[in-house]
Amino acid sequence: MGGALATRTVDLLQGTLDLLVLKSLTWGPCHGYGVARCIQRLTDDVLHVEEGSLYPALHRLEERGLVSAEWGVSENNRRAKFYRLNPRGRQHLRVEASSWTRYAEAVGKVLRAAESTG
Amino acid sequence: MRVPRGWWRTLQLGRRDSRTEVDEELELHLAMRTEEYVAAGMSPEEARAEALRRFGDLARTRESCRRIVDRTATSTRRKDAWSGLRQDVVYALRTLARSPGLTAAILVTLALGIGANTAIFTVVKGVLLRPLPYGNPERLVSVYDVFTGIDLPHSVLSEPELLDLERSVSAFSAVAAYRAGKLTLAGVGPPERVASMSTTASFARALGVQPVLGRFFGPDEDRPGQGQVVVLEHGFWQRRFGGDPGVLGRRLSLNGTPRVVVGVMPRGFTFGDAEMFVPLEIDRGTPAPRTGHYLEAVARLRPGLSLADASSQLAALVGRLVPENSDAYPANMGFSMGVESLTDTLVGSIRPALLTLLSAAGLLLLVACANVANLLLLRAEGRRRELALRTALGAGRGRLIRQLLTESLILAAAGGALGLLLAAVGVPLLLSLDPAGLPRRDAIAIDYTVCAVTLGLSMLTGVAFGLAPALQALRLDLQGGLKEGGSSGTGPRRRRLRRGFVVLEISLAMVLVAGAALLIQSFWRLRNVDLGFRSDHVLTLDLSLPEASYNDTTKVLGFYEGLLQGLGGLPGVTAIGAASLLPLTGREGNWDVEIEGRPIRPGDPAPSPAVNIATPGYYRAMRIPIVSGRVLLPSDDERAPPVAVVNETMARTLWHGDDPVGRRFKVLGDSTPWMTVVGVTRDVRSWGIARAARAEYTLPHRQLPVTVREARRSMSVVLRTSGDPLDIAGAVRREIASLDPELAVANLRTMDRVVSDSLSRPRFTMLLLVLFGALALTLAAVGVYGVMAHGVAQRAREIGIRLALGAQPRYVRRLVVAEGLALALAGLAAGVLLALLVSRLLASQLYGIEPTDPVTYLAISLLLLAVALLATWQPARRATRVDPLGALRAD
């Protein structure tokens, strides 16, 4: 845990955080802390997510109607706000994920080509 | 769009909640992270610090979260509010549609109340409130003479007085004189009598208007023989000349004299009914005598000066004039000068009638509101179960009240729309009721102000009558509503409220009906006034011979002689005559006289009876009875000794009851001959149907050249016919055209029509008040019926028990009727008091009856009582038919 911040972390690209949050909610409703843990686990701590930035992202997604929120009880018996991916959010994630993948593939292809000529 | 207050408050509450929620959410995150670090072995302080570090900028995060959350909350609440409102509206519409009869009753009631008010307000606004179509009209005033000594509180000015005003009253920046008349326009189509206004050149400047085309009179054109010019009114220019700008410079033959058109007044400018303006010729060097009163005067106040300033300057002027002209202003005449706003001069006479009608319409609206509130209360009671159920299912009280108010506002809006429609139809109808009397009718139109007032009235009404049921809903007893099954018991408080409304309705209706009854009687008395002549089977018309072509007395007398002979020969004509003063249509027209043997003492006013000029056949044609002596005869011509006929009032006031036949008097003036009184006739109502006859004398038309050295050119011809007078109208026109094709025939109508026209204003007020009274009475009856019928339905169980225990149906009926009577009597008592207070305002509209006439009040009370009994009868009968077993089983 002490080495959570590895030396070779990558700064998060603009707009990518939303995608990660939506993805982490596909496993079921979750509160903010859970989303943070989830991202941490999924990226093996490679991406540097400042945890505070998660919350404006979550609220923005709620405002845009991509996630729904309601208050419930956390695992340690506290009042917590749970976020849930709704059908619109699921659809949004699908579109964004595929475009992200295409983007990443394209960039990767370019970079690979440069290697072979160089 | 503003969100109503209630919703606004919920928004504020929502904001506070969402802020604490953000804090709570972030704190949870930090707490869980800290716990995790503690579990991993850190000290709590270290763990907290590490969690915070990892979290990043807490303050900024909190701030941006709050911003988002606030934004979200606002928009969702607003959406909620609007969807709530939409729900309310849809629900209200559905509820209203479920009881179409009641909804229709409410809508009709509202439409009548609002429509009547809108229509009357439209007229009031156009006539009384809309500014006059002149520049800075609030500074325009009328100046008039006052002669308290001879009972003339509002008289016209003489030429020297006008010059005095121009010279020595500095409060006025402009003074103009005018005089209404008629001119015969020839040469443009058939000859026509055109309403004209003779004015001084200063007229346009004083009123603050400029011709839209050409110019007004130049400064020298209002001198004798100077300006043969004419300025046209805009509407007349459109009508007769098709709005052709080439009309400038055109020569028109007016009263046989050519005048050049020099200008056209702007659209919307009206002054009286004038269609053209010609210069009023005044010789400023040698004006007419100070006693020759014939001018009306309008003046413009200098900015910053008030009516009071002008009034004190006039008083100072009068203080100088009286000693300087003691012959013209004898002390006993009580001469002074008055000033009032021009608006008062133009519309002052109709103001009391219009304000009466506006108040009556207001009362009617109150009755309508009370009635609707009552109907809604009844319905709200019928819906107690539904409302209780909704409360039980979680609908907030606020929500229910909002629901009820929404319903009444929808009703009010619909009622207002219908009312506006009614007014749109009603206003032209109203105007057609008063063809003669209403000033400024061109200014009457339904406009934005009227619509805004209607809307305001509707909303006010909606809240007023919606509030009672809503307040009742607030007190709604949840358990009670469900337990009682919503039908049997009604709280005494609610019943009192409903009865209060009915009592209010009856008392207001009483006021309106009393007013209507007073006006009906007043009208009846006017209708049966002894006019002094018989108006049936008489045709009348006005002729005015142009001075240019009838320039000497022989021509004038010759024309009329030939005319009366020609017309008298038409088949069906049984008598014919002519007079200068047609009954009921008289304006001012007095000639001072001196009675033989009674010289006028200095300081005393000369007797000033009205004068009429007639031909011998006039008395027979009008059937004016002779009391003593004889009427005028054909032999009373220019060669015979001068004679006169006087009326009873003149005989009584100037000869103090002695028979004046054989006595002599003369028209005051230089070398006028003595005239012998040959007969006394009955008094004729010359000045209007409600105005008592004044002293009046009649001179033979043929002798006028002898008695006053002139000929009378304008006369009214009267023909008595055996059949319908209008049958010969065409023949009369043809006969006149054959004598002189240039001559315009004006006011060709039956004498019955003259009588009816002179009644048009009292008829107008009376008909409307009768209409309002009848509506109010109907509404009150509906109110009584509603409350009684509902009461019987509510007490079916009690009545059933009574009947089951052997009560006589008669007894039950009496029970219900007594209750209805109690309501009616309470309403009557309040109504009589209210009517006695209010009807004094009606005094100026009444003729021959006191506003507190006891017989009227008694009759009206009986009428209202009868109507209330009638409204109670059916519910009382229904009460006796209650099935005891059914009533007991019902719950």
Side-chain angles (χ1 to χ4, degrees), chain B residues 588-603:
Chain B
E588 301 305 320
N590 299 349
W591 286 355
D592 293 357
V593 297
E594 182 184 337
I595 312 289
E596 192 179 25
R598 243 184 290 159
I600 294 151
R601 285 195 308 255

Side-chain angles (χ1 to χ4, degrees), chain B residues 468-486:
Chain B
L471 285 178
Q472 194 196 346
L474 190 68
R475 295 205 212 95
L476 199 82
D477 170 9
L478 173 60
Q479 277 107 28
L482 286 176
K483 208 164 49 198
E484 288 167 9

Side-chain angles (χ1 to χ4, degrees), chain B residues 136-189:
Chain B
N136 296 79
E138 71 284 352
R139 288 217 293 273
L140 288 173
V141 297
S142 301
V143 186
Y144 51 90
D145 277 1
V146 180
F147 295 102
T148 50
I150 51 171
D151 201 23
L152 272 181
H154 208 289
S155 179
V156 283
L157 306 182
S158 63
E159 289 182 9
E161 287 166 353
L162 177 71
L163 301 183
D164 290 335
L165 288 183
E166 287 174 351
R167 268 196 301 267
S168 46
V169 181
S170 62
F172 298 144
S173 60
V175 178
Y178 61 92
R179 187 188 193 196
K182 292 219 161 176
L183 294 170
T184 301
L185 170 67
V188 190

